[in-house]
Amino acid sequence: DHADTDDGWRVRLRQRFLAARQVMLRHPWAPGLLHSRTTVPTSVYAYYDGIIGTLVDAGFSYHLAHQAIHALGSLPLGFTQEVFSPPNGSDESDMPAMTATLPHLAAMVTAELHDATDPALGWCDSQTEFEFTLDLLLDGLERLHDQPRNG
């Protein structure tokens, strides 16, 4: 059934991932708990099956759906998984040394101070960044979907 060949798949996935984000914002300890797991919780399989089904029903191949799952990372669960956090005790007093040795990184950090009203789940996991990343990946999937033959 390819009745979902329009952008309905995209809207459904975006809504699903943003709903998961709302759950994580209500329970900010949950990303850390999920990150500590070494195996996939059984209940998560059905969730991902629904994501894959949405993609396949829209005409994506299983190969491209598999690649999409990897590219999306933890976004379907409502958060971005950061590998590093800023060092404890770092503050603006570190900025002159950083500017001298890492000018581009320092300029970016200075320019990208997070808005206190933008809900965040970590150092670089604000709602704005989450939605930007999600939309960027969905744009790429949409482009691949629109190619005559997707993977």
Side-chain angles (χ1 to χ4, degrees):
D1 174 9
H2 291 279
D4 193 17
T5 55
D6 60 358
D7 66 351
W9 64 269
R10 181 188 172 125
V11 170
R12 275 196 296 293
L13 290 183
R14 190 173 197 281
Q15 288 172 342
R16 180 180 280 216
F17 301 168
L18 290 175
R21 174 84 177 169
Q22 290 306 308
V23 171
M24 291 298 161
L25 288 170
R26 284 193 306 273
H27 306 285
W29 48 266
L33 177 65
L34 288 172
H35 182 68
S36 72
R37 303 284 307 244
T38 57
T39 59
V40 177
T42 305
S43 60
V44 173
Y45 284 116
Y47 180 70
Y48 276 93
D49 187 72
I51 294 168
I52 294 165
T54 297
L55 291 168
V56 170
D57 288 348
F60 286 86
S61 67
Y62 281 108
H63 175 71
L64 190 52
H66 175 248
Q67 290 178 320
I69 292 297
H70 283 287
L72 290 165
S74 61
L75 292 174
L77 300 173
F79 63 97
T80 57
Q81 188 170 12
E82 292 293 333
V83 176
F84 302 110
S85 295
N88 289 335
S90 63
D91 59 30
E92 280 104 35
S93 66
D94 299 333
M95 201 49 84
M98 182 187 239
T99 301
T101 58
L102 307 167
H104 298 293
L105 185 60
M108 183 193 70
V109 168
T110 301
E112 291 299 314
L113 294 177
H114 292 276
D115 182 348
T117 63
D118 189 7
L121 286 170
W123 176 44
C124 245
D125 184 7
S126 71
Q127 186 71 24
T128 301
E129 290 163 342
F130 182 88
E131 289 187 38
F132 173 83
T133 304
L134 177 58
D135 290 337
L136 187 67
L137 288 165
L138 292 175
D139 287 346
L141 286 172
E142 188 169 46
R143 182 183 54 79
L144 291 171
H145 177 264
D146 292 342
Q147 290 180 354
R149 177 178 160 97
N150 66 63

